[in-house]
Amino acid sequence: MIRVSNEHPKAMEFTSFKQKEGVTDDELIRAAMAFESEFLTKQPGVIFHCLVRNFSGDYANVLFAKAKEDISNLEKAARNDPNAGAFFGMIDMGSVKMTTQSIEKDFSVPAHFSCVEYGSFSLKSNDYDTLQRVSESIERDYLSQFENTRAHFVGRQNENLYTEVTFGATLGKTKEVCMGYIGNPICQPMLDMADEKSMQLDFWYVIA
């Protein structure tokens, strides 16, 4: 995990993947840490990065930057970097799923967390303004009631594909709080807005 600055990020990249057969967890984690310290810390616009894992054994890179352009630029720079190459060489490229989302609010990556809830969805009626109002209500009137909650935002991947991200102190409590959306009068409106067939949700714990 690295934190290059405390600036407000305007973009997030979330990339899930599996390691290649024969690559151990320890080897992958060491390569990820070298990738962070020797490459990411030197790239303009990078604010934060950590490596997370889910209960299915998948890994994911969580990266925050000042702008989407910074993420595009570091992807280009990584092509010629030996530490990036060593890390990427341990990844099963056929398993890679990468998303980039804009953050259209003042957001700070929390100082201490161990879990990232990452969900994506499209809207039945693409009303982004209403979505943001509902998100603000959820933060103010529901998520803030739990000591576990560290941060939350709704991001935009494209014209009608959105991301909800919640940072929590522990995975167990974060999952419990997020499952509490169902039927809750504050949170249910967001679920009702979403196209059920498009909804994807998982919980990830911090590895490095």
Side-chain angles (χ1 to χ4, degrees):
M1 180 185 293
I2 57 166
R3 185 183 300 271
V4 180
S5 79
N6 290 317
E7 296 186 55
H8 294 302
K10 292 300 179 184
M12 173 193 184
E13 179 186 286
F14 187 92
T15 305
S16 63
F17 59 89
K18 296 181 181 294
Q19 69 226 69
K20 283 183 177 177
E21 186 175 350
V23 174
T24 68
D25 292 330
D26 285 341
E27 289 171 337
L28 182 72
I29 291 168
R30 284 197 296 270
M33 293 170 66
F35 169 66
E36 287 183 332
S37 61
E38 301 301 323
F39 174 69
L40 286 180
T41 57
K42 303 173 184 178
Q43 302 308 306
V46 172
I47 291 175
F48 176 91
H49 174 270
C50 68
L51 182 70
V52 296
R53 197 175 191 184
N54 65 9
F55 283 161
S56 298
D58 300 323
Y59 285 93
N61 284 316
V62 179
L63 177 87
F64 287 93
K66 295 179 184 178
K68 279 190 173 183
E69 291 77 12
D70 295 316
I71 294 175
S72 297
N73 290 336
L74 74 85
E75 289 170 358
K76 295 174 184 176
R79 297 170 188 166
N80 300 313
D81 183 86
N83 290 288
F87 177 43
F88 296 161
M90 296 184 180
I91 293 172
D92 175 0
M93 288 301 173
S95 71
V96 172
K97 298 176 182 177
M98 184 177 72
T99 63
T100 304
Q101 37 267 308
S102 59
I103 305 171
E104 300 176 14
K105 60 174 283 187
D106 285 339
F107 169 81
S108 296
V109 181
H112 303 289
F113 66 92
S114 66
C115 177
V116 180
E117 173 265 322
Y118 184 85
S120 62
F121 56 93
S122 298
L123 298 178
K124 297 172 185 174
S125 176
N126 192 12
D127 187 346
Y128 179 63
D129 291 339
T130 299
L131 175 63
Q132 286 289 35
R133 288 195 296 271
V134 170
S135 174
E136 291 169 5
S137 175
I138 290 172
E139 290 179 14
R140 181 184 64 248
D141 301 324
Y142 179 72
L143 291 175
S144 67
Q145 306 304 310
F146 300 94
E147 184 179 349
N148 180 81
T149 303
R150 295 292 183 262
H152 171 269
F153 71 89
V154 168
R156 188 203 297 258
Q157 292 185 39
N158 59 40
E159 182 60 29
N160 188 26
L161 185 58
Y162 301 96
T163 303
E164 186 189 33
V165 182
T166 305
F167 293 82
T170 69
L171 185 146
K173 190 63 178 180
T174 303
K175 192 170 186 178
E176 179 183 275
V177 171
C178 289
M179 292 300 101
Y181 276 35
I182 301 171
N184 184 286
I186 300 167
C187 308
Q188 187 64 41
M190 178 179 285
L191 302 180
D192 293 339
M193 292 177 68
D195 177 354
E196 186 174 344
K197 293 180 180 179
S198 72
M199 295 174 68
Q200 298 185 24
L201 175 68
D202 208 344
F203 296 84
W204 304 78
Y205 54 94
V206 177
I207 293 292

